[in-house]
Amino acid sequence: MSAIPVADDVLDSDVAVLSLAEVGTVLGLSMNKVRQLLRDGQLIAIRRAGELYVPADFFMEGNLGKDGLVKGLAGTVTVLSDAGYGRTEMLRWLFEADDTLPGTTPINALRTNHGTEVKRRAQAMAF
């Protein structure tokens, strides 16, 4: 079994995070499936106090199943990964303020259905 890749904790302390068990509950998945999402790069985890956590902003409230993930997140992470960004850089970029985006950060823009603009910017960063 391969290790779960983990980003450095570059999030502000006020950014809500969920434990892997909480992620499993939100998505209706087993812990093994949650770990697989992390290994496959569909989610990004950080380590706090020795435990793995995932930003709560990666999930949409009220949605159960895999569809509970923010639409476009996995594709954006894939684009950034293909561009050579590490998990820490991806996390920093997703939560970095950008007043030119609807929602003021890439993750908030994804959460408000502006995924096309976020992916376009992620692709542009590859060059």
Side-chain angles (χ1 to χ4, degrees):
M1 182 185 310
S2 61
I4 295 172
V6 179
D8 294 338
D9 188 358
V10 294
L11 300 174
D12 289 337
S13 60
D14 62 341
V15 173
V17 293
L18 302 174
S19 69
L20 297 192
E22 291 169 320
V23 170
T25 299
V26 168
L27 296 178
L29 298 174
S30 70
M31 288 291 289
N32 285 337
K33 295 282 187 184
V34 172
R35 288 184 191 103
Q36 191 62 48
L37 289 173
L38 291 164
R39 280 191 289 275
D40 290 348
Q42 294 184 35
L43 289 175
I44 300 172
I46 60 168
R47 189 175 304 278
R48 283 187 181 168
E51 299 295 323
L52 294 180
Y53 293 94
V54 176
D57 285 345
F58 287 178
F59 308 96
M60 296 301 291
E61 295 176 25
N63 290 331
L64 298 176
K66 191 174 178 188
D67 291 335
L69 289 174
V70 168
K71 182 180 176 186
L73 175 65
T76 301
V77 169
T78 298
V79 167
L80 292 170
S81 178
D82 290 349
Y85 283 74
R87 295 238 184 327
T88 301
E89 294 166 311
M90 291 179 211
L91 197 59
R92 186 176 286 122
W93 183 77
L94 284 166
F95 284 87
E96 187 172 61
D98 182 344
D99 293 336
T100 66
L101 273 174
T104 69
T105 64
I107 190 62
N108 285 338
L110 286 172
R111 292 176 60 80
T112 57
N113 294 319
H114 293 92
T116 302
E117 178 62 16
V118 173
K119 283 186 193 169
R120 185 187 67 74
R121 290 181 188 210
Q123 289 169 336
M125 291 171 32
F127 297 104

